[in-house]
Each structure stands twice: as structure tokens, then as C-alpha cells.
């Protein structure tokens, strides 16, 4: 399948002008057309910030050479008062102009040939050509150079604000062992036919859906269910692609082709869900469609209308004023201030253990009114632990005997009991036997021990309290010498800050809903403990997608938080997908828009707060830039501002915006 690169809509100059760059749906990379060949090296590789910045700086060598030529000319002319001959000046300035602006001018002409006149490339080209026409060569070159410097600042900001986003990891195995003529053969999964038998070794991932051909096997099913508890699968029962065999090799009879496996369908759903999510356009992008043509019209009016009222009318004088107006109107300061504002927000998020994959997601997170969360690995630790022990007699003896027998098994539930025993001295069990789907039987210190579920005690006719059947968590029920001796309650522990996370979201006016593949009773119990009003259990990945889609259809703005591969489709569908990064699956992390790197659910509320702070600063920068521009445009139209003043006003606004953006870094969340 195609990679689902949820790349951010970076705040590039295309956001201030109506470019013809088609956007793939939700975060698929911008399909840059051949018109967009500015040598912007956004450096999406895995480089350090220093290396990335150096790469961008080196890529602009023509701009630096152009700046050097202009600097030499200005120093010689204005500091040493040496008059450079006009032909030499024209050659120097044309060389500098071509070095700095060749790609901008070429792009402007290509766009104009396609009927797209209202963009910043055409704006800069007309303004600088006009300066050349009236003989202001150095000013025309300066305008282009400062424009390119603005682009450079912008590219560095964008480069720093983004981390390399890899393709959605296809976790399906590349090879599979198939038994043909009773001999194992390594083949690609897509060549295996229905009815063939594959061999899955301990630790290997199942490549295709099928039924258990061996007597039984234990599988890690977290890739599909998101639940930590391994599943014991008996002969004839279903085995799904993505499960991992534990302990021993098993044989699986294939009942579905590679492309039709459940795991393949999950990965396909990620792609489909992404396609249903439209890209977010910032306010400035929408305004640009009106702003840019309006600027061209006003500049034209400044040049031509005075001919009707001014006598004598000097065309060159009013053309110069029109060019000043165009330069001032160029959205350079906006294209610098916007990404730097978001860069500050992304930096603040990183300091708080939150990776934001694109600036637009900081905007999106501020609109969220409903957080839908997975349970296991998101609000809980995803690790089995003994939560409670009930003993008929001596509890220490119960723990010691049960843990001694459980030490025979590698099952995670057995390991939880052994771990609970801690430093207790364990005895080696005799005649230990694992009964698939039931538990263990054996002898410890001459005493007959049964440890497993209630079905194990039923099998050996051991009576136990009826109340045990009402316990929703996983249990290890123990019988000693044929009599019920007690039980262990084993469950996934709730994360320390999970309740705080829900409380903080409530304070922000955000509703929380919990979805899980775990048992309904377990899910309801955790929801009550955390104060979550709505929860749903026993869900398959496609059912989670359906619930989130229904919420979106109701007009809700959804953030989904998860950590397993089964969460990837619904993360892709949500307005903002949030993944737990420390323990989460690669597929989910790559699909998500925001990654909580330390797995703390309380950081979800932090992400919302950071988004609100960032949006506030960005709007301040937009207001500042537009306010100054309007003032200087009025001065330029009245002949009280030159091209130099227009350029420096634009750069000055950009510097103020940079300083304002850096304020974000000092905020405390």
C-alpha cells in the first residue's frame, strides 16, 4: 500500500498566495508541481538541526553571491563615494539580480502563462522590473535579495519545526515458511494459496489468516486487538495475520489470501480514513485569494488614476510609487512570522514531551471538543500486574506455592504471579503440566497444586465460591490438595496521571470517550475509576472507526488517542490523531499527527493548551504585519516611502514577529 505520510501543511509562502499546488487529502505530502521549483531545501531527513540549517544555507549560494555583489556596489558608491560607470552598474546589478531571482522570475512567467497572475512571484517580478525600468537597479536587486532572505528564514523555520515522517510501516512479514510436500519453503506471502499450511516459529509474526493446525499455541495479539493479554488458540480456531507466536512453533492452515487478511484490511483502512480527512487551510490562505489580486489592482490604480487629476503627470514617478506599494504589500513578513510562530509552539510542545508533526495540527487541536481514547497502553499501562490476593488460609504460603508452579510457564499471567512473589524462595515444581486454555497442574513440596481459571477447577471437581464468577478481571484461581485455597486478581494497572488527564480535559470543556477491544465489564470499571462518562468495550478496529465517524457526522471535532496498530485507522480518521510514543506501535506513531513521547495521558491537555498559546501568538503576528503594511502602503502611495524603506519595513516586521514567536518558548504549561 502507499505510505500514509501525515505530513504537515507547512506555513510556506504558498499559504499567503493562491498557489496551484494540489493537496493530497489530509496530510499526504503536498504534490509539488513543476512550478514550485524554488530551491527550498526543507530537509525532511533525519539530520540534526545544525546540519539541516547548514544544508539550507549552502543551497542558497547564489543568493549569497548576489548579496556580496550588492554589498560591494553599495560600499563603493555610498561609503567611498566612487561613481561606478552606468554600464558597469547595469552589468553588476543584472548579474546580482539573475543570481538572486532567476527561479522566482521563471516561476512567475510559467504561472502567468497558465493564467495565474495573482501570486507573490508575479508581484515581486513586476515590482523589481518596474524598479529596473525607472533606473533604480540597486533597489530592484535589494528587493529580490531581501525577498529571498525572507524565504531562507522561512525554510529554516519550517525545517526545524518538522521531524522526518516515515511511511506507514507495513508490519506484514516479507517472507513466510510454507510446508509443501512436507518440506519447509521460504516464499513471499502473496504466493501462498488458500488451503496450504504455513509454519510459524516462536517469536515470528503470522503472515496470513488461517486456522490452527497444531494442537494449540499461545499468541501475542496486541497488534490487532491492542490488548496485552496473550491468547491461547486451540486446534481449529482462527489465527490472524499480525499475531506473534509465543513459546513454540505452530502450524496454521491458510484460509485467506495475503491481500485479504485482517491486517491488510486494517492498513487499507488507514489509507481510506486519511482520504476522508480534508486538509486544513489557515485563515491567511483564504484571505490571500482576495488580498493578492486586490494589491495588484490598487498598485495599478496608484499608477494610472493620477493621470486624470495630476498635472503635469509624471508616469515614472507614479510607477515608482506603485512599485513601492507592491513591495510593501508582498506577504514576506507574514510568510516568516506564521511559520516561526508555529515553530515556537512546536518547540514548546517538544520540551513537554509532545511531538507535533506539523504546524496545522496545533491549529486543529484548539478546535477539539471531544477526545476519544483507547484504554490499554493509553490510559492504562498495558502490563499485567497482580492487583489483589484473596487467601483461605496463609496468604504467604498461597503465594509461594502458586508462584512456584507458575514459574514453570512463560505465560504473561504466570509471570505476573511470579513477579508478585518477589524475593520469595520458589521451589521447582514436579510433574508440572500446562493444560491449554485452563492453566497449570503440578506438585510443589509434595502438595498437589492447581493454578488457572475456574474451568480448571471445574475440570478437577474442585468447589469454589460462586462470587468468583462475577469478577471481571483476569484471575488465577488456586487449589491445594484438591481444595480451593484462594485466588489472584490480575489486571492492567491504570496510569498514574490518567485521572488527572481526564480532569484537565474536563476543565477545558472537552468530553472524553473511551473505546477498547477489552471486555465490556473491564472497560466500564476503568471508565468509572477515571470519571469517563461514555465507554464502549469489545470493539474491533472497524467498529472504532464507525463510532468516530458517527461522532464526526454529528459535527464533533475529534482527537483520538491510541497506541496499537488496531488504532491506526481511527487515528487517521480523527481530526487530530494522537499516539502514545514510548510503547505505541510504529504504524500508529507514523499515522498520528501528534505523539506523546513519554506516554503520559495528561500531556493531551498540555497539547491543547500549547495549541491555544501558539494560535494567539500567530494571530498577534498577523495583526502586527498587516497593521504595519497598511501604514507603510499609505506612505508609499503618497510618495513618502521609497523601495528601501518598503523593504526594511517588511524585514523589521519580520524581526518583531520572530521575537514575539520566541516568547512561546518561555511559556510554562
Amino acid at each position: 500500500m502507499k505510505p500514509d505520510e501525515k505530513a504537515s501543511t507547512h506555513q510556506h509562502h504558498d499559504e499567503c498566495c493562491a498557489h496551484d499546488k494540489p493537496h493530497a487529502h489530509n496530510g499526504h505530502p503536498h504534490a509539488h508541481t513543476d512550478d514550485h521549483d524554488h530551491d527550498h531545501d526543507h530537509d525532511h531527513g533525519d539530520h540534526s538541526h545544525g546540519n539541516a540549517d547548514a544544508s539550507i544555507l549552502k543551497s542558497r549560494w547564489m543568493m549569497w553571491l548576489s548579496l556580496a555583489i550588492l554589498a560591494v556596489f553599495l560600499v563603493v558608491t555610498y561609503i567611498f563615494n566612487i561613481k561606478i560607470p552606468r554600464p558597469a552598474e547595469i552589468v553588476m546589478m543584472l548579474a546580482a539580480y539573475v543570481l538572486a531571482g532567476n527561479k522566482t522570475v521563471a516561476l512567475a512567467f510559467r504561472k502567468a502563462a497558465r493564467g495565474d497572475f495573482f501570486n507573490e512571484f508575479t508581484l515581486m517580478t513586476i515590482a523589481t522590473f518596474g524598479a529596473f525600468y525607472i533606473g533604480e537597479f540597486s533597489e530592484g536587486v535589494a528587493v529580490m535579495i531581501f525577498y529571498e532572505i525572507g524565504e531562507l528564514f522561512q525554510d529554516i523555520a519550517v525545517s526545524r519545526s518538522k521531524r522526518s515522517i516515515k511511511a506507514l510501516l507495513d508490519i506484514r512479514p516479507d517472507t513466510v515458511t510454507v510446508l509443501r510436500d512436507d518440506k519447509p519453503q521460504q516464499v513471499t506471502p502473496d504466493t501462498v494459496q488458500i488451503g496450504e499450511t504455513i509454519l510459524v516459529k516462536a517469536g515470528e509474526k503470522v503472515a496470513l489468516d488461517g486456522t490452527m493446525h497444531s494442537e494449540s499455541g499461545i499468541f501475542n495479539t496486541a497488534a490487532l486487538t491492542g490488548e496485552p493479554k496473550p491468547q491461547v488458540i486451540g486446534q481449529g480456531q482462527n489465527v490472524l495475520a499480525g499475531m506473534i507466536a509465543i513459546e513454540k512453533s505452530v502450524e496454521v492452515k491458510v484460509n485467506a489470501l495475503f491481500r485479504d487478511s485482517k491486517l491488510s484490511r486494517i492498513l487499507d483502512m488507514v489509507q481510506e480514513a486519511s482520504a476522508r480527512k480534508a486538509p486544513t487551510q489557515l485563515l491567511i490562505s483564504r484571505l490571500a485569494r482576495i488580498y493578492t489580486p486586490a494589491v495588484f489592482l490598487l498598485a495599478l490604480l496608484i499608477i494610472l488614476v493620477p493621470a486624470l487629476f495630476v498635472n503635469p503627470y509624471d508616469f515614472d514617478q507614479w510607477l515608482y510609487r506603485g512599485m513601492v506599494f507592491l513591495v510593501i504589500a508582498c506577504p514576506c513578513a507574514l510568510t516568516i512570522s506564521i511559520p516561526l510562530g508555529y515553530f515556537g509552539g512546536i518547540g514548546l510542545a517538544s520540551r513537554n514531551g509532545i511531538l507535533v508533526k506539523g504546524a496545522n495540527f496545533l491549529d486543529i487541536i484548539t478546535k477539539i471538543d471531544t477526545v476519544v481514547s483507547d484504554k490499554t497502553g493509553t490510559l492504562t499501562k498495558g502490563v499485567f500486574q497482580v492487583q489483589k490476593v484473596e487467601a483461605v488460609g496463609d496468604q504467604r504460603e498461597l503465594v509461594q506455592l502458586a508462584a512456584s508452579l507458575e514459574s514453570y510457564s512463560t505465560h504473561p499471567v504466570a509471570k505476573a504471579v511470579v513477579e508478585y512473589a518477589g524475593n520469595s524462595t520458589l521451589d521447582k515444581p514436579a510433574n508440572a503440566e500446562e493444560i491449554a486454555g485452563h492453566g497449570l497442574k503440578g506438585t510443589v513440596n509434595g502438595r498437589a497444586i492447581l493454578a488457572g481459571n475456574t474451568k480448571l477447577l471445574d475440570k478437577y471437581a474442585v468447589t469454589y465460591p460462586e462470587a468468583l464468577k462475577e469478577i471481571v478481571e483476569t484471575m488465577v484461581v488456586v487449589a491445594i490438595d484438591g481444595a480451593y485455597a484462594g485466588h489472584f486478581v490480575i489486571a492492567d494497572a491504570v496510569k498514574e496521571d490518567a485521572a488527572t488527564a481526564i480532569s484537565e480535559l474536563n476543565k477545558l470543556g472537552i468530553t472524553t470517550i473511551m473505546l477498547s477491544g477489552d471486555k465490556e465489564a473491564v472497560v466500564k470499571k476503568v471508565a468509572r475509576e477515571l470519571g469517563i462518562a461514555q465507554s464502549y468495550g469489545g470493539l474491533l478496529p472497524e467498529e472504532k472507526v464507525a463510532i468516530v465517524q458517527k461522532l464526526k457526522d454529528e459535527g464533533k471535532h475529534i482527537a483520538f488517542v491510541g497506541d496499537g496498530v488496531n488504532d491506526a485507522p481511527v487515528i487517521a480518521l480523527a481530526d487530530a490523531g494522537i499516539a502514545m510514543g514510548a510503547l505505541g506501535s510504529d504504524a500508529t506513531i507514523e499515522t498520528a499527527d501528534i505523539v506523546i513521547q513519554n506516554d503520559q495521558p495528561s500531556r493531551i491537555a498540555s497539547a491543547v493548551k500549547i495549541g491555544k498559546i501558539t494560535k494567539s501568538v500567530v494571530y498577534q503576528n498577523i495583526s502586527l504585519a498587516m497593521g504595519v503594511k497598511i501604514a507603510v502602503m499609505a506612505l508609499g502611495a503618497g510618495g513618502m516611502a521609497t523601495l528601501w524603506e518598503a523593504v526594511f519595513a517588511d524585514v523589521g516586521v519580520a524581526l518583531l514577529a520572530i521575537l514575539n514567536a520566541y516568547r512561546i518558548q518561555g511559556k510554562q504549561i
Side-chain angles (χ1 to χ4, degrees):
M1 67 179 276
K2 293 180 181 179
D4 178 64
E5 299 177 1
K6 299 200 75 176
S8 65
T9 307
H10 54 67
Q11 318 311 316
H12 208 343
H13 51 265
D14 54 344
E15 293 187 334
C16 295
C17 295
H19 282 201
D20 58 347
K21 252 190 245 181
H23 294 259
H25 289 290
N26 184 40
H28 282 58
H30 298 325
H32 288 229
T33 68
D34 60 352
D35 275 353
H36 188 54
D37 60 356
H38 243 24
D39 59 343
H40 297 174
D41 179 6
H42 290 183
D43 197 81
H44 297 323
D46 292 324
H47 300 295
S48 67
H49 285 165
N51 290 340
D53 292 351
S55 176
I56 295 173
L57 292 172
K58 288 177 182 177
S59 73
R60 300 302 183 87
W61 66 270
M62 287 194 291
M63 184 198 75
W64 297 122
L65 182 55
S66 175
L67 180 60
I69 293 172
L70 178 64
V72 169
F73 172 79
L74 294 176
V75 168
V76 170
T77 302
Y78 295 104
I79 295 181
F80 293 104
N81 293 318
I82 299 174
K83 179 68 175 177
I84 295 177
R86 195 64 167 177
E89 177 188 349
I90 293 173
V91 171
M92 288 179 68
M93 292 301 99
L94 282 176
Y97 185 82
V98 170
L99 285 169
N102 62 90
K103 293 184 178 180
T104 296
V105 174
L107 183 53
F109 274 100
R110 283 204 299 274
K111 283 183 170 290
R114 294 170 52 180
D116 179 9
F117 297 97
F118 303 120
N119 55 73
E120 66 178 288
F121 309 111
T122 307
L123 186 152
M124 295 306 302
T125 300
I126 290 175
T128 52
F129 278 14
F132 273 53
Y133 170 79
I134 60 178
E136 300 291 348
F137 297 104
S138 60
E139 292 188 31
V141 171
V143 167
M144 187 59 73
I145 289 175
F146 277 103
Y147 169 72
E148 291 295 329
I149 289 174
E151 292 287 284
L152 174 64
F153 287 153
Q154 168 183 290
D155 283 354
I156 290 174
V158 172
S159 175
R160 288 183 175 184
S161 72
K162 297 175 69 177
R163 184 79 60 89
S164 173
I165 302 171
K166 300 173 184 176
L168 172 66
L169 179 64
D170 187 342
I171 61 173
R172 295 169 294 191
D174 295 325
T175 61
V176 62
T177 304
V178 62
L179 299 177
R180 291 174 178 166
D181 299 326
D182 293 327
K183 293 181 181 178
Q185 296 181 23
Q186 288 284 326
V187 299
T188 56
D190 56 0
T191 63
V192 178
Q193 301 300 311
I194 294 174
E196 290 192 287
T197 300
I198 60 173
L199 177 67
V200 185
K201 298 175 183 177
E204 281 188 347
K205 195 168 291 175
V206 180
L208 303 109
D209 291 353
T211 55
M212 176 63 69
H213 192 60
S214 301
E215 183 179 344
S216 67
I218 301 177
F219 293 86
N220 179 340
T221 66
L224 293 172
T225 65
E227 300 307 318
K229 182 181 177 182
Q231 185 176 348
V232 178
I233 297 178
Q235 192 172 44
Q237 292 182 306
N238 288 330
V239 179
L240 301 177
M243 293 181 175
I244 300 173
I246 300 175
E247 291 189 17
K248 61 181 181 180
S249 299
V250 294
E251 294 180 5
V252 177
K253 189 172 183 179
V254 176
N255 62 13
L257 296 175
F258 182 60
R259 65 174 180 268
D260 298 325
S261 70
K262 191 175 190 67
L263 182 58
S264 294
R265 291 199 301 274
I266 288 177
L267 295 174
D268 288 343
M269 274 194 292
V270 173
Q271 195 174 26
E272 292 167 7
S274 294
R276 289 199 296 270
K277 184 178 171 184
T280 301
Q281 287 188 312
L282 295 177
L283 175 63
I284 197 68
S285 299
R286 298 192 292 271
L287 291 178
R289 296 172 184 171
I290 302 170
Y291 174 80
T292 311
V295 163
F296 274 104
L297 178 61
L298 288 172
L300 190 62
L301 292 175
I302 288 171
I303 297 168
L304 300 179
V305 169
L308 303 175
F309 305 101
V310 177
N311 188 22
Y313 170 72
D314 184 344
F315 175 76
D316 286 358
Q317 176 189 349
W318 289 99
L319 175 64
Y320 184 82
R321 293 185 183 185
M323 296 305 100
V324 170
F325 185 87
L326 279 182
V327 172
I328 297 168
C330 181
C332 299
L334 289 172
T335 59
I336 296 169
S337 65
I338 293 172
L340 286 179
Y342 284 106
F343 169 55
I346 290 170
L348 178 59
S350 296
R351 288 215 331 270
N352 285 272
I354 304 165
L355 170 62
V356 181
K357 291 185 178 178
N360 60 324
F361 300 122
L362 284 172
D363 258 0
I364 291 170
I365 198 71
T366 63
K367 302 173 185 175
I368 296 302
D369 53 35
T370 306
V371 169
V372 181
S373 176
D374 178 43
K375 178 181 73 68
T376 306
T378 302
L379 296 175
T380 64
K381 295 179 179 178
V383 178
F384 271 105
Q385 294 178 337
V386 173
Q387 303 291 325
K388 185 179 180 183
V389 179
E390 293 283 350
V392 174
D394 185 353
Q395 181 170 308
R396 283 194 300 177
E397 180 186 39
L398 171 69
V399 172
Q400 195 273 336
L401 292 173
S404 295
L405 179 59
E406 295 284 14
S407 66
Y408 171 79
S409 174
T410 58
H411 193 288
V413 171
K415 289 180 179 178
V417 174
V418 173
E419 184 179 334
Y420 182 78
N423 297 325
S424 301
T425 303
L426 302 182
D427 298 302
K428 184 177 180 180
N431 304 317
E433 177 186 351
E434 189 153 1
I435 302 169
H438 291 72
L440 296 168
K441 65 173 291 190
T443 304
V444 178
N445 291 336
R447 306 187 71 177
I449 309 295
L450 295 173
N453 53 33
T454 54
K455 290 189 291 185
L456 179 66
L457 270 61
D458 290 337
K459 181 179 177 71
Y460 289 93
V462 176
T463 59
Y464 54 87
E466 284 293 317
L468 295 188
K469 294 180 179 179
E470 298 176 8
I471 296 176
V472 298
E473 293 89 354
T474 299
M475 278 192 306
V476 174
V477 186
V478 181
I480 301 175
D481 294 331
Y484 167 74
H487 65 270
F488 297 77
V489 176
I490 299 174
D492 188 7
V494 171
K495 289 182 179 178
E496 287 80 1
D497 69 332
T500 302
I502 305 304
S503 174
E504 287 296 314
L505 289 171
N506 288 339
K507 289 177 184 176
L508 291 169
I510 297 173
T511 302
T512 307
I513 300 172
M514 186 167 66
L515 309 180
S516 178
D518 206 349
K519 291 186 296 185
E520 180 77 24
V522 174
V523 173
K524 293 294 184 188
K525 185 174 184 295
V526 173
R528 285 194 301 272
E529 183 178 343
L530 296 178
I532 298 174
Q534 295 183 59
S535 63
Y536 304 87
L539 299 174
L540 294 173
E542 52 265 35
E543 292 172 324
K544 291 183 179 180
V545 169
I547 290 173
V548 171
Q549 185 61 60
K550 183 175 181 294
L551 290 169
K552 290 190 70 175
D553 292 342
E554 293 172 357
K556 305 288 187 184
H557 296 284
I558 306 294
F560 184 87
V561 192
D563 71 316
V565 173
N566 61 304
D567 296 324
V570 69
I571 277 180
L573 174 62
D575 296 295
I578 304 175
M580 292 295 166
L583 298 176
S585 76
D586 289 341
T588 303
I589 291 169
E590 297 302 334
T591 307
D593 309 313
I594 298 170
V595 180
I596 309 296
Q597 298 179 58
N598 54 17
D599 276 0
Q600 293 180 345
S602 59
R603 297 300 183 188
I604 302 167
S606 299
V608 176
K609 294 175 184 176
I610 291 168
K612 290 180 182 294
I613 291 170
T614 304
K615 190 172 183 178
S616 172
V617 169
V618 167
Y619 273 57
Q620 289 170 17
N621 282 350
I622 292 172
S623 300
L624 172 68
M626 292 305 298
V628 172
K629 279 184 179 297
I630 290 170
V632 180
M633 278 192 283
L635 293 174
M640 291 178 282
T642 67
L643 279 175
W644 286 103
E645 289 162 336
V647 169
F648 283 114
D650 200 36
V651 174
V653 171
L655 291 175
L656 289 174
I658 290 170
L659 294 174
N660 194 34
Y662 282 159
R663 287 194 311 113
I664 299 176
Q665 297 284 350
K667 296 287 185 180
Q668 297 297 320
I669 303 300

